[in-house]
Amino acid sequence: MSKKDKYEVQKFTGIPVEADADGKYQLKLDQNGEAKLHTWRTGKHTKGKYKHPGQLMLTENNLTVVILAAEPMAFKDRHSETPLQRFLTVDVAADVLQQGLAKLGEGRR
C-alpha cells in the first residue's frame, strides 16, 4: 500500500443519543435502562472534523452518537472497529455530556 492510501485513524468511544420531545439530545437507553458505550473509527471517507468531547457524529447506519473520548489508532488495527460516516457540528448539552463521561468512567474502572 502506498503512503497516499494511508490516512490518520482515530478511535472514538461514544453513546448513541436520541432527541427528546424538546429536540434536545439525550443518551439512548436499552431495554434495561442502560446507556451502552460503543467504539467507532474514522474511515477514508469520513466527513467533517472532530473537535471535542460532546460533539455528535453519525455512524454508517445513520445512528447519532455523542463522542466521549478520542484516541489515536494504528492504521493496521483499523479493521477491528466500524468506521463512522461524518462528524456533526452539533454538541449535546453539558449535563448529557457529564452523564456520558460518568458512564465512560464506569467502563474504565
Side-chain angles (χ1 to χ4, degrees), residues 29-93:
L29 306 177
D30 64 14
Q31 305 89 321
N32 305 321
E34 289 289 311
K36 292 274 192 265
L37 292 165
H38 297 280
T39 52
W40 291 268
R41 66 168 173 90
T42 46
K44 191 170 192 172
H45 304 291
T46 300
K47 306 260 187 291
K49 290 263 181 274
Y50 169 69
K51 294 182 178 71
H52 50 255
Q55 181 178 357
L56 294 177
M57 68 180 193
L58 206 56
T59 68
E60 291 198 325
N61 298 333
N62 291 320
L63 187 64
T64 308
V65 174
V66 57
I67 301 169
L68 301 172
E71 55 195 285
M73 183 178 200
F75 187 77
K76 64 178 177 40
D77 297 336
R78 70 191 187 284
H79 293 297
S80 64
E81 299 295 342
T82 307
L84 64 100
Q85 180 181 316
R86 68 173 53 241
F87 293 106
L88 302 176
T89 54
V90 180
D91 292 0
V92 293

Side-chain angles (χ1 to χ4, degrees), residues 27 68 92-104:
L27 299 180
L68 301 172
V92 293
D95 61 324
V96 176
L97 175 58
Q98 289 312 315
Q99 289 172 1
L101 291 172
K103 208 45 143 162
L104 182 65

